Amino acid sequence: MKVFIFGAGASKGSKKPTHSIPDNVLKSRVSPITDELFNQEYESYAGEVKLSTSNLVRYRNEIKEHESLEKWITEKWNNKNSHSDFRKKGENGEFGKISMYIWRLFQGVSVTYNYDNYYRRLMQKLYNDDIKSGFISFNYDTLLDLAITEVFNVPLTGLDEYYDINYIKPHGSINWFIKKRSIDPTGSNVGLTEKYNIAASRMFNGDPHKWENIFIVPPTLEALNTNDFINNGRFDHEYGYPLIFLPLRIKQYELVENYYSNIIERGIGLLAEASEIYIIGYSARDEIVKDLFGKVKPETIIHIISYNSAHKISDEIKKWKPEIKIGHLYNNGFANFVEYEFENMINGKN
């Protein structure tokens, strides 16, 4: 089996540039890599979920003092545990707003999916050549989900369908949701702004969320791509939480009970079956990927597709998996890999 692991660089490089959309709109719909999450072009999404744009400015300034956004947000997450319960609850509420912002941003990214998307092109090649494949995506967007739905005719209406197609999303997805806890404040009689504020304040405050409260909506659902989806009847006219894990370098499994056994262990099993693994646009710097690689066979070949960083990513992986067997290091990006190099790699011509 060939298993493809996708990171933010894959989504960023999955769409052909177009000049038919105004530049400011185009920029706000190009999938960001992690370090670009709080860039100015995405500020409209913050306003929609009641995250102050002044916070985005502050985040950008603070990130400059760190190696990366991932390192900054991980340090910010860890530091809250040394504060009083009063302040910790407030900071958890801020993380809740960041999660809502990420959810809305990647809704905007996901609506750009079209026939020319390189995820769709890759899925079509795998389908046409009848290649047994599996997929692990660390991306929140549904660009790959839409390609799988279109090419493989799998509607992805529930987790069982993700499992059946060998598709794992360790960081969650914008079409995955958690219903509110029974002890969470009611939202049935409040407006949209209040629902966002309540949901943000409760997302990381309180007991872990129950696995049975998770539900999936099809990535093709048009209503998904609106900021008032939080009012959708699927939340029983209350509100809910997007199942999105923050881009931390540490694990966040405790957010949802049994998430490890239902998602991560399946990813471990998937990679254990792989004869080849293709890492595409993914930096491999967080702790989750180390768990996922726990049972990779010594003879499995790892190919790395990046944009000028393949060797650096290879070195990073070797730090925590020194026995890994590296195959091709391709530095011309996801689109060029699909367009020009895929057949050569699959057929062993390079």
Side-chain angles (χ1 to χ4, degrees):
M1 178 188 292
K2 300 181 189 300
V3 177
F4 296 81
I5 299 177
F6 299 100
S11 284
K12 187 177 180 67
S14 70
K15 190 175 184 297
K16 276 189 172 182
T18 176
H19 301 291
S20 61
I21 302 175
D23 189 55
N24 62 323
V25 177
L26 178 62
K27 284 183 177 180
S28 71
R29 292 192 173 182
V30 172
S31 185
I33 59 173
T34 305
D35 284 339
E36 299 170 346
L37 273 178
F38 299 124
N39 279 13
Q40 187 173 0
E41 56 263 34
Y42 303 113
E43 286 184 350
S44 62
Y45 298 115
E48 290 183 6
V49 298
K50 318 310 170 192
L51 175 66
S52 169
T53 54
S54 64
N55 276 3
L56 297 191
V57 174
R58 175 166 61 87
Y59 298 159
R60 291 197 292 267
N61 289 333
E62 291 177 357
I63 290 167
K64 290 176 183 177
E65 300 174 5
H66 294 73
E67 174 189 324
S68 64
L69 185 149
E70 289 175 331
K71 187 173 181 180
W72 166 79
I73 200 169
T74 300
E75 183 177 306
K76 185 177 175 69
W77 178 268
N78 287 333
N79 285 346
K80 69 183 173 65
N81 293 321
S82 64
H83 298 147
S84 68
D85 287 346
F86 175 77
R87 180 171 170 179
K88 183 177 178 179
K89 286 181 179 179
E91 291 178 343
N92 277 335
E94 183 180 2
F95 285 118
K97 287 190 175 183
I98 291 173
S99 294
M100 294 288 184
Y101 163 75
I102 291 172
W103 169 61
R104 186 67 190 106
L105 189 165
F106 284 99
Q107 285 178 327
V109 167
S110 297
V111 298
T112 65
Y113 175 83
N114 60 27
Y115 187 79
D116 284 331
N117 187 278
Y118 281 100
Y119 280 125
R120 191 208 63 79
R121 292 187 176 201
L122 177 59
M123 295 304 107
Q124 194 67 61
K125 289 175 183 288
L126 295 173
Y127 183 81
N128 290 347
D129 292 346
D130 197 13
I131 296 172
K132 185 179 180 182
S133 305
F135 313 101
I136 295 176
S137 176
F138 285 88
N139 297 322
Y140 307 114
D141 63 70
T142 56
L143 295 173
L144 176 56
D145 310 57
L146 291 165
I148 288 173
T149 295
E150 180 182 356
V151 175
F152 292 101
N153 297 306
V154 180
L156 296 178
T157 58
L159 278 172
D160 285 345
E161 290 178 346
Y162 279 86
Y163 298 155
D164 287 345
I165 202 70
N166 293 320
Y167 184 15
I168 305 296
K169 300 190 81 171
H171 281 176
S173 184
I174 63 163
N175 62 317
W176 297 11
F177 297 94
I178 314 170
K179 291 185 177 181
K180 67 181 280 293
R181 309 172 190 87
S182 59
I183 61 171
D184 287 340
T186 184
S188 59
N189 298 313
V190 301
L192 186 62
T193 296
E194 290 76 14
K195 286 190 177 185
Y196 272 118
N197 286 333
I198 295 172
S201 71
R202 293 298 298 170
M203 186 171 183
F204 297 108
N205 282 312
D207 295 332
H209 297 280
K210 301 288 187 182
W211 178 259
E212 56 266 28
N213 286 340
I214 293 174
F215 68 95
I216 310 296
V217 301
T220 54
L221 183 70
E222 191 170 337
L224 173 66
N225 300 311
T226 60
N227 73 318
D228 65 348
F229 187 79
I230 199 171
N231 277 323
N232 193 275
R234 290 171 172 82
F235 293 115
D236 301 322
H237 305 290
E238 287 278 351
Y239 58 87
Y241 312 97
L243 179 45
I244 285 176
F245 290 84
L246 293 165
L248 304 173
R249 287 189 173 179
I250 59 174
K251 305 165 189 175
Q252 208 179 8
Y253 304 144
E254 72 281 357
L255 176 64
V256 180
E257 289 182 354
N258 301 319
Y259 193 83
Y260 184 89
S261 59
N262 283 291
I263 299 294
I264 304 303
E265 283 188 354
R266 287 180 181 271
I268 293 170
L270 182 61
L271 287 177
E273 294 181 37
S275 57
E276 292 181 279
I277 298 172
Y278 294 76
I279 297 177
I280 304 176
Y282 176 57
S283 63
R285 289 183 298 187
D286 64 36
E287 293 293 321
I288 294 178
V289 73
K290 298 177 184 179
D291 281 353
L292 291 172
F293 269 69
K295 295 183 179 180
V296 170
K297 298 189 293 288
E299 65 269 23
T300 301
I301 300 172
I302 315 297
H303 307 292
I304 301 173
I305 294 89
S306 181
Y307 192 78
N308 294 330
S309 298
H311 291 81
K312 183 178 179 181
I313 295 167
S314 172
D315 291 342
E316 180 68 32
I317 294 172
K318 285 180 179 178
K319 288 179 184 177
W320 49 264
K321 194 77 171 177
E323 72 275 18
I324 210 78
K325 187 175 181 180
I326 299 296
H328 295 291
L329 299 178
Y330 188 76
N331 277 305
N332 291 325
F334 180 39
N336 282 318
F337 164 71
V338 176
E339 196 88 62
Y340 305 113
E341 194 66 16
F342 173 82
E343 282 82 4
N344 288 334
M345 276 199 190
I346 292 297
N347 296 320
K349 293 181 180 180
N350 280 341

